[in-house]
Amino acid sequence: MADFKYELGADGVAVITWDVPEKSMNVMSMEGFALLDSFIDKALADEACKGVVITSGKPDFAGGMDLNVIAEMRKGGAQAIFDGVMQMHHVLRKIERAGMDPKTNKGGKPIATAIPGTALGIGLELPLSTHRIFAADNPKAKIGLPEIMVGIFPGGGGTTRVSRKLGAMAAAPFLLEGKLSDPKKAKAAGLIDEVVEDPLAAAKDWVLNAKDADLVKPWDAKGFKMPGGAPYHPAGFMTFVGASAMVHGKTNGVYPAAKALLSAVYEGALVPFDQAIKIEARWFTHVLMNPSSTSMIRSLFINKGALEKGANRPDVPDQRVKKVGILGAGMMGAGIAYVSANAGIEVVLIDNSQEAADRGKSYSEGILDKGISRKKVTEEKKAEVLGRINATTDYAALEACDLIVEAVFEDPGVKAEVTKKAEAVIPQDAIFATNTSTLPITELAKASARPEQFIGIHFFSPVDKMMLVEIIKGAQTGPVAVAKALDFVRQIRKTPIVVNDARFFYANRCIIPYINEGIRMVAEGVNPTLVEHAATMVGMPLGPLQLVDETSIDLGVKIAKATKAAMGDAYPDGAVDDVLFWMADKGRMGRKSNAGFYEYDEKGKRQGLWSGLDAQYPRADEQPDVHHVQHRLLMAQVLEAVRAFEQGVLEDIREGDVGAILGWGFAPWSGGPFSWLDIIGAGKAVEICEALTAQYGARFEAPALLRDLAAKGETFYGRYGEGQAAQAA
Ligand code: NAD
């Protein structure tokens, strides 16, 4: 079966239907493109054919290019990519020109697109090459060009066509931010032409009545001027200067795609369309050859997708959750209740007092009300979701729950008590999960009568926004519990990673050294502004000092004390604690107390770094180079990730990379800690570690695994890219 079908109707309209076999959503492959090309040739050559409508045999039009194909294309090098992309442009341009005379712009055959639902990426670039786009009035449909989100940009003519259609300024949200719109908004913005009840019928009708002039794109007509002005037009000049500054401000120059996209638009706007397309193809090739785009596509699309589909799920029957019991209706419990009920799962939300349980439920109400005010949620949906949450103090209500998620105080005693109380009521085969962030799962499982059914499901705050969920296996956790946790995470549409039990699991284990390294530098007299900027310039969403302010300094103190008690003599030096404890003594607890490493105004708005730091930790006369600071901040995190993998806490580097980006925002341009090490090379990484170790000590020592890769000239993805565990190697 083929990806496209061709059918010439009695009315003379050829309908080309995109319907990729065995996929719920159409994606474009090179074979698909070749077939489409042959059908266009057929339609243009056939005298009985008056025009063409391209549509979909599925509820949606298309999800985009098959990114696995892009990954494959890259293997052939720059020339292969460029040739492949130009081949695609050739087909799209053939559709656009539709056989018309190049001089008179007459005699072409009308080609329209009928879009039933979502149309993304090449799924919009193909329609953009046709003469008119009809979309169904489907408010759930998403229309746009999201390529920038995975580190590339629209390279199927979308960049050139949308910027010429809308002007650089109006095109910016769609191209630079990957903004997606429903059909009505897409029409209002000028991305598509019509929103109708029956797009196929409307498109056929249009094709049968179109005149020569209806087929000529503005950029192919005489005297075309770019809307809003080309680069050397006074208005255009301002747009491009502003856009360039804005892109740099937003990306800190670490995302090659945004800059390349802007160059393609700018340079393309100076030349005729056919040259502009070539320029787009060159910049697109440039981006695809950049290791950042390879890594981003691999982590944020291919591997994230594989993990969500259960790449590491044990082979046990369906464990989807019907009714979840949530113990503790505080910040985390309330969030977990919302995401569960929103996914259609019945929820029992328990707290010590009815008031606390109700407060937890009202958190969902707040989110739903916000959704209503933004027209994203209906009153019916709100009633439905709230109707699924039973807020109570009565443990007997847990009777029919097949999963429990415990989110009470971070206290082993309290957790043990609720574990026993719940297990006295829940079914024998129910799974019990804890949302602890610091307590070992194996220890907490001791309170359980069924430790093989006891597991960690670690959410991040705020639960409704953070996409990562860390699933932690205790020493005795069995495969059914793992499958249950994975199926639950899939139901609530988040991304799971599965790790083994160890101090701070994976995400917190890596993020704490990042914060600590920043604080150490303050103690050493490094300019705190340099520390913060070095971090954001290398793509971290927050500098370490801002991050500790956000998570609160007393939490840092608490964790430091608990870690010291647990580690005894193995506890590292107290340089970080000195700063943290001093800040806490001063009552500077971070954002929540309106005072931390930063100053805040009365409304809680963050101001500059606190000047009092200088008096306590005077600035060193000589300040380090920004790259040196960045190496310290990145290595603090990635070495911990490598150790976690080496020790078998992390079993799959794909989880390590995806988890790092989704869990704590590790420089997404790099594709994650393991991808970053592969980009710089293990040899270079070891060199950096040696230099840092000589200056700062053992915490920067290169792990044996990294040394081994360096010695053998290997990469993490070369050796472990299919999910192999380090310990098995
Ligand atoms: P919280 O203090 O906001 O909520 C805890 C809730 O548990 C309170 O409402 C409390 O009344 C209730 N509770 C206490 N004892 C109870 C009992 N015996 N029975 C029923 N309810 C009881 O705390 P939180 O921030 O929601 O954290 C809860 C858990 O989640 C902790 O284990 C914490 O480590 C973990 N966690 C927190 C975060 C975070 O960012 N806050 C992130 C991940 C995990």
Side-chain angles (χ1 to χ4, degrees):
M1 278 210 309
D3 290 4
F4 288 90
K5 280 194 302 262
Y6 181 98
E7 203 178 350
L8 182 63
D11 54 3
V13 178
V15 176
I16 298 179
T17 307
W18 193 357
D19 199 352
V20 180
E22 287 159 29
K23 288 221 159 147
S24 58
M25 177 74 100
N26 289 321
V27 286
M28 188 65 93
S29 63
M30 289 321 265
E31 297 75 38
F33 232 104
L35 185 61
L36 173 66
D37 186 22
S38 72
F39 287 155
I40 296 295
D41 283 341
K42 186 167 162 179
L44 294 180
D46 184 354
E47 279 185 15
C49 170
K50 294 183 186 141
V52 179
V53 176
I54 303 175
T55 190
S56 161
K58 303 191 193 291
D60 290 310
F61 187 67
M65 195 75 194
D66 182 344
L67 288 179
N68 290 300
V69 173
I70 292 189
E72 208 44 47
M73 240 161 73
R74 197 186 274 112
K75 291 185 185 152
Q79 190 65 47
I81 297 173
F82 181 76
D83 292 346
V85 173
M86 282 312 293
Q87 182 56 30
M88 211 160 64
H89 281 316
H90 176 73
V91 179
L92 296 175
R93 192 67 174 137
K94 189 191 290 176
I95 293 172
E96 190 159 58
R97 297 300 290 157
M100 64 183 88
D101 183 290
K103 288 217 174 72
T104 63
N105 276 343
K106 289 195 168 131
K109 283 187 186 177
I111 304 181
T113 331
I115 296 179
T118 288
L120 301 175
I122 191 75
L124 178 59
E125 291 177 302
L126 165 61
L128 283 168
S129 75
T130 67
H131 305 122
R132 203 146 182 94
I133 307 174
F134 295 83
D137 186 6
N138 173 356
K140 290 224 168 94
K142 289 191 167 60
I143 294 183
L145 301 164
E147 284 85 344
I148 200 83
M149 311 300 284
V150 289
I152 55 177
F153 70 81
T159 296
T160 303
R161 287 194 174 87
V162 172
S163 57
R164 286 182 183 228
K165 207 171 153 122
L166 310 184
M169 181 83 103
F174 300 108
L175 298 176
L176 277 171
E177 292 164 23
K179 179 180 169 186
L180 306 181
S181 316
D182 65 30
K184 282 201 171 125
K185 290 205 182 101
K187 176 178 165 10
L191 266 187
I192 62 169
D193 303 299
E194 306 279 356
V195 179
V196 291
E197 190 88 348
D198 182 347
L200 182 57
K204 278 188 185 173
D205 195 48
W206 182 86
V207 162
L208 289 170
N209 293 295
K211 312 263 181 313
D212 276 336
D214 296 335
L215 316 192
V216 184
K217 291 289 172 69
W219 43 90
D220 288 322
K222 259 213 174 95
F224 168 71
K225 289 213 168 48
M226 185 140 162
Y232 291 120
H233 180 276
F237 185 77
M238 295 313 290
T239 305
F240 280 96
V241 169
S244 183
M246 188 194 84
V247 165
H248 199 82
K250 280 200 172 171
T251 63
N252 280 309
V254 287
Y255 293 90
K259 213 165 170 200
L261 164 79
L262 206 57
S263 299
V265 173
Y266 179 92
E267 292 166 20
L270 299 170
V271 294
F273 187 86
D274 287 304
Q275 258 90 55
I277 280 292
K278 252 192 222 165
I279 289 172
E280 185 192 291
R282 285 205 190 102
W283 278 113
F284 189 61
T285 305
H286 173 82
V287 166
L288 284 193
M289 290 303 291
N290 189 305
S292 163
S293 75
T294 320
S295 305
M296 280 180 82
I297 291 176
R298 189 176 56 205
S299 290
L300 292 172
F301 179 78
I302 298 173
N303 292 342
K304 177 172 170 288
L307 298 178
E308 285 163 0
K309 288 196 186 102
N312 292 329
R313 186 186 184 281
D315 188 15
V316 296
D318 188 354
Q319 294 293 321
R320 260 175 296 184
V321 176
K322 288 179 204 71
K323 190 168 185 179
V324 62
I326 296 164
L327 314 183
M331 186 166 92
M332 299 304 287
I336 302 166
Y338 167 72
V339 296
S340 305
N342 198 42
I345 302 171
E346 290 294 321
V347 175
V348 178
L349 181 58
I350 291 202
D351 208 299
N352 278 331
S353 68
Q354 187 61 41
E355 197 195 342
D358 288 340
R359 203 175 324 119
K361 180 170 173 176
S362 69
Y363 177 77
S364 290
E365 198 170 356
I367 297 182
L368 292 160
D369 281 340
K370 215 182 256 171
I372 290 175
S373 70
R374 291 191 187 145
K375 297 203 166 52
K376 297 232 182 293
V377 174
T378 59
E379 288 289 350
E380 298 77 62
K381 166 96 181 173
K382 175 183 162 186
E384 219 178 87
V385 174
L386 291 179
R388 286 194 199 107
I389 305 177
N390 172 14
T392 177
T393 57
D394 182 9
Y395 275 71
L398 299 174
E399 194 193 14
C401 289
D402 48 323
L403 173 70
I404 300 292
V405 181
E406 164 283 298
V408 297
F409 296 141
E410 189 74 338
D411 176 320
V414 181
K415 289 194 187 292
E417 181 199 322
V418 301
T419 306
K420 291 198 164 76
K421 272 168 90 173
E423 284 190 355
V425 217
I426 55 176
Q428 270 304 317
D429 59 353
I431 301 298
F432 189 101
T434 169
N435 181 47
T436 180
S437 26
T438 56
L439 303 168
I441 306 302
T442 309
E443 284 300 309
L444 293 179
K446 288 185 178 154
S448 168
R450 320 155 187 164
E452 71 288 352
Q453 286 160 240
F454 193 100
I455 194 163
I457 303 185
H458 182 213
F459 284 86
F460 295 80
S461 174
V463 176
D464 58 308
K465 299 240 166 63
M466 297 295 287
M467 291 312 293
L468 185 72
V469 179
E470 203 171 12
I471 295 170
I472 305 117
K473 297 184 278 190
Q476 297 186 60
T477 304
V480 177
V482 176
K484 185 95 190 171
L486 282 168
D487 291 357
F488 175 54
V489 172
R490 190 169 183 176
Q491 277 173 283
I492 57 174
R493 287 188 217 95
K494 296 200 182 280
T495 309
I497 63 170
V498 182
V499 301
N500 285 304
D501 198 13
R503 182 178 303 284
F504 302 132
F505 317 132
Y506 174 61
N508 287 339
R509 171 183 181 147
C510 298
I511 195 72
I512 293 171
Y514 169 66
I515 291 176
N516 287 352
E517 203 59 33
I519 297 176
R520 275 173 194 281
M521 287 194 242
V522 171
E524 288 168 20
V526 178
N527 184 343
T529 310
L530 173 58
V531 174
E532 295 291 88
H533 282 256
T536 50
M537 280 165 67
V538 80
M540 293 300 295
L542 303 183
L545 306 178
Q546 189 186 341
L547 185 58
V548 70
D549 264 13
E550 297 292 335
T551 50
S552 94
I553 283 162
D554 45 334
L555 179 67
V557 169
K558 217 167 131 190
I559 292 177
K561 284 186 177 157
T563 313
K564 197 169 185 174
M567 289 179 79
D569 290 345
Y571 191 71
D573 66 274
V576 175
D577 296 357
D578 288 349
V579 182
L580 271 184
F581 293 8
W582 173 73
M583 292 283 285
D585 279 349
K586 294 243 164 259
R588 302 191 73 89
M589 301 303 185
R591 174 182 287 285
K592 69 176 187 189
S593 67
N594 254 9
F597 284 96
Y598 282 84
E599 297 191 86
Y600 300 82
D601 68 14
E602 328 69 69
K603 287 190 188 131
K605 192 161 184 273
R606 194 164 45 85
Q607 310 291 307
L609 280 148
W610 178 44
S611 52
L613 280 175
D614 282 2
Q616 182 75 6
Y617 300 103
R619 300 258 172 96
D621 292 339
E622 219 171 300
Q623 290 292 318
D625 178 79
V626 64
H627 294 299
H628 182 84
V629 176
Q630 289 173 333
H631 282 161
R632 285 181 69 173
L633 292 173
L634 288 182
M635 280 300 178
Q637 303 170 70
V638 302
L639 293 182
E640 213 45 59
V642 175
R643 287 181 203 119
F645 183 55
E646 200 173 39
Q647 293 160 8
V649 172
L650 196 60
E651 294 180 328
D652 182 338
I653 56 168
R654 300 175 302 174
E655 293 182 307
D657 273 353
V658 173
I661 297 177
L662 300 187
W664 75 94
F666 181 88
W669 64 266
S670 70
F674 296 97
S675 292
W676 181 68
L677 287 170
D678 279 357
I679 289 174
I680 64 169
K684 174 80 187 166
V686 168
E687 246 175 61
I688 296 172
C689 288
E690 283 173 353
L692 292 176
T693 308
Q695 217 171 336
Y696 305 107
R699 69 181 182 280
F700 286 112
E701 255 166 29
L705 175 56
L706 188 62
R707 287 187 181 280
D708 188 51
L709 289 175
K712 298 186 175 132
E714 288 185 65
T715 61
F716 279 101
Y717 275 87
R719 197 189 281 183
Y720 304 109
E722 305 297 325
Q724 303 90 326
Q727 292 189 320

